[in-house]
Amino acid sequence: MPAISQNQLASLLGTAADNPRVTVWLDPINAAFTEWSIGTPHRQAAFLAQILHESAQFKYLSENLNYSAARLRQVWPRRFPTDGSALKYASNPEKLANNIYADRLGNGDEASGDGWKYRGRGLIQLTGRDNYERCGKALELDLLAQPELLQEPAGAARSAAWYWASTGLNELADLKPDGNAREDFVKICQRVNGGNVGLQSRLDYWDKAMQILALK
């Protein structure tokens, strides 16, 4: 199975080959490629484009839930209809996570602390107790007891590749006779994000990855 080289990953990140972001992430990414059959340049280019956007080039492995009251009202207008309701959760990521993720995705109620414990983590952010449990079983990791493993390079890369393969994105990334690779990549973006947030950034990474992997 082809692996991405140190120089290729450095080029994709726009940095030197000995940059820590390259040396730390190269082996975990290649191991995840092998484990989850992300084994062709088309699959790899699409996967890399998504994880580089989602993590801002490996900088963020945990969901940012530090919102001002005004921003809370913008993002969740029904949940926080007034300044008073929003102020209770402003600049308090743990309290906010326990509120917005309560009784969802297999989490317990707000008092359980599940919302914070199982907040979005990884290169493609895994969220909620049910998803942590499913991913943990697939990777043979106890993510319910050790959710922080998703913030380590190996866990972050493996969980993203598990999500990728288990949701059919390998097949969607494959080049098809008479198909349109760009349209398929947009569908991948929508499946990962649930919409078109960051679409141009994802497309830019994809174009660059396609060039570096000699597909263009």
Side-chain angles (χ1 to χ4, degrees):
M1 180 175 293
I4 186 171
S5 72
Q6 188 165 336
N7 286 334
Q8 285 174 323
L9 185 56
S11 294
L12 193 51
L13 293 172
T15 190
D18 61 354
N19 184 290
R21 279 185 294 145
V22 178
T23 56
V24 165
W25 285 97
L26 183 65
D27 287 345
I29 287 171
N30 279 323
F33 282 168
T34 299
E35 184 177 11
W36 293 100
S37 300
I38 307 175
T40 68
H42 284 94
R43 291 181 177 189
Q44 291 170 355
F47 178 82
L48 288 165
Q50 294 299 330
I51 65 171
L52 290 177
H53 172 81
E54 289 283 313
S55 67
Q57 296 194 1
F58 309 131
K59 294 175 185 174
Y60 303 112
L61 300 177
S62 179
E63 186 176 9
N64 179 10
L65 291 162
N66 191 10
Y67 289 91
S68 67
R71 184 59 179 157
L72 285 174
R73 294 196 63 190
Q74 290 176 345
V75 176
W76 293 284
R78 292 183 180 179
R79 188 179 292 270
F80 304 111
T82 66
D83 288 342
S85 62
L87 282 169
K88 296 177 184 178
Y89 298 91
S91 303
N92 191 331
E94 183 171 354
K95 187 175 182 179
L96 176 63
N98 287 331
N99 176 266
I100 62 175
Y101 291 132
D103 300 310
R104 299 174 51 208
L105 304 170
N107 292 341
D109 61 15
E110 190 167 352
S112 73
D114 284 351
W116 177 249
K117 188 172 184 179
Y118 305 119
R119 66 191 182 277
R121 285 190 177 93
L123 290 174
I124 296 178
Q125 289 188 352
L126 202 68
T127 308
R129 185 185 182 95
D130 282 350
N131 288 322
Y132 274 63
E133 184 173 18
R134 280 194 291 269
C135 182
K137 286 179 179 178
L139 303 185
E140 298 183 348
L141 296 173
D142 189 355
L143 295 178
L144 294 183
Q146 296 179 284
E148 66 278 1
L149 291 175
L150 294 177
Q151 291 176 251
E152 298 178 3
R158 293 181 72 207
S159 63
W162 164 81
Y163 168 83
W164 182 270
S166 66
T167 55
L169 298 183
N170 268 333
E171 293 75 17
L172 191 51
D174 287 341
L175 189 64
K176 303 167 186 67
D178 302 319
N180 186 310
R182 193 175 187 86
E183 288 181 2
D184 285 343
F185 181 74
V186 171
K187 291 176 184 176
I188 290 171
C189 297
Q190 293 167 341
R191 195 172 296 181
V192 169
N193 175 255
N196 290 316
V197 175
L199 179 59
Q200 189 56 56
S201 169
R202 297 170 200 267
L203 283 165
D204 289 344
Y205 278 125
W206 181 67
D207 283 331
K208 190 172 183 180
M210 293 280 280
Q211 291 170 359
I212 289 170
L213 298 180
L215 294 171
K216 282 191 173 183

